Each structure stands twice: as structure tokens, then as C-alpha cells.
Amino acid sequence: MSVGEAVPTTDPGATSPLGVADVLAAAEGLALLMDRLDPATVTVSDAMTMVDAFTRIERMAATGKTVVAKRATDSPRLLKHKGHRDGVDYLARTLDITAGEAAAVLGLAHVLDGLDATTDVAKKGGIAPRKVIAVAAAAQADLRLRGP
């Protein structure tokens, strides 16, 4: 069985959860691909297809980073032990972004937590994580219109 391949469980429809080794293997695979990438050797048509593929990869990676960021900030004690004031500080330093941007990542993670269908589409690269906020706003507006 290779890294990234689902491990069968007692439920034939279930698979094992994704582990850190799977994510690291995917990153290494992409790094190897990038080492071989030479845009001058591909046709314009292939380059356009590659842009689409890299956009999907970027969206999937951004969604993965966002949903895992919420979990990575779940232990204030561990964050402090590693020298971070809080989850926002950890994300800001780790992602090399401002505290406001880090707070927005966590906010988006919380939004995704309540929108399973949208999260599934985002995980497949079908929607950019930043567009999820618009989807969430529309969903909340719809719920308000429907009333209690």
C-alpha cells in the first residue's frame, strides 16, 4: 500500500483519516513535479491546461491549510509552549501574514465548519476559499429570510 492510499476499515465504504505523512508525500510529489517544470517545453494549449490544474491545486491547498489551521490552534497550552501568544500569533508567524489576515483565516475556517457541501467543493478545488465567505453570507441571508 502506498502513502496516500486509503487503508480499508471494517466498514467497506470508509477509509482511514488523512495523516501528516500523506500531506508531506503530496507536497514532496509536487516539489518533484516543479523541479521538472519547464514552461518553454510545453505547447500554449498545454500551458493553459496546466494553469487550470495549478489553480485547482492552489485552491485545494488553500482549503486544506484553512481547515487544518483551525485544528492547529486548538491547544492554547501547546501554542504557548511553542512560543506563540495564541492561535492568531501562530498563524501570522507560520504563514508570514499579518495578525488581521491570520484572524481572517481562522474566521473562514469557522465558516467552512458549518457549510459541509461548500467545504467539500472547496476541498476538490471547485471554489476558492475566499469565495466561501460570499457563499456563507448568502446562506445566512437565506436562513434569515426563511425565519425560525
Side-chain angles (χ1 to χ4, degrees):
M1 190 166 291
S2 65
V3 173
E5 187 176 352
V7 177
T9 65
T10 54
D11 177 357
T15 57
S16 65
L18 181 71
V20 69
D22 299 308
V23 176
L24 293 173
E28 184 59 29
L30 186 57
L32 293 171
L33 183 144
M34 294 306 297
D35 283 345
R36 295 177 28 225
L37 180 62
D38 181 359
T41 65
V42 299
T43 67
V44 172
S45 178
D46 285 351
M48 292 172 79
T49 301
M50 287 179 172
V51 167
D52 291 341
F54 280 121
T55 298
R56 183 170 176 234
I57 290 167
E58 181 179 33
R59 288 176 178 175
M60 288 187 290
T63 300
K65 176 179 65 179
T66 299
V67 298
V68 172
K70 181 174 174 265
R71 178 67 175 139
T73 60
D74 277 350
S75 175
R77 183 177 170 190
L78 181 59
L79 289 167
K80 287 192 187 320
H81 176 74
K82 293 197 173 252
H84 302 287
R85 288 187 305 274
D86 54 27
V88 170
D89 179 60
Y90 160 75
L91 288 176
R93 287 191 204 178
T94 303
L95 304 178
D96 195 23
I97 58 178
T98 68
E101 291 167 327
V105 168
L106 285 176
L108 180 55
H110 286 283
V111 168
L112 282 170
D113 204 25
L115 297 172
D116 294 342
T118 303
T119 300
D120 289 345
V121 171
K123 284 180 177 180
K124 292 176 179 128
I127 183 172
R130 62 183 168 70
K131 290 187 178 178
V132 170
I133 293 178
V135 171
Q140 289 172 345
D142 185 54
L143 287 174
R144 282 194 300 272
L145 289 175
R146 290 180 191 202

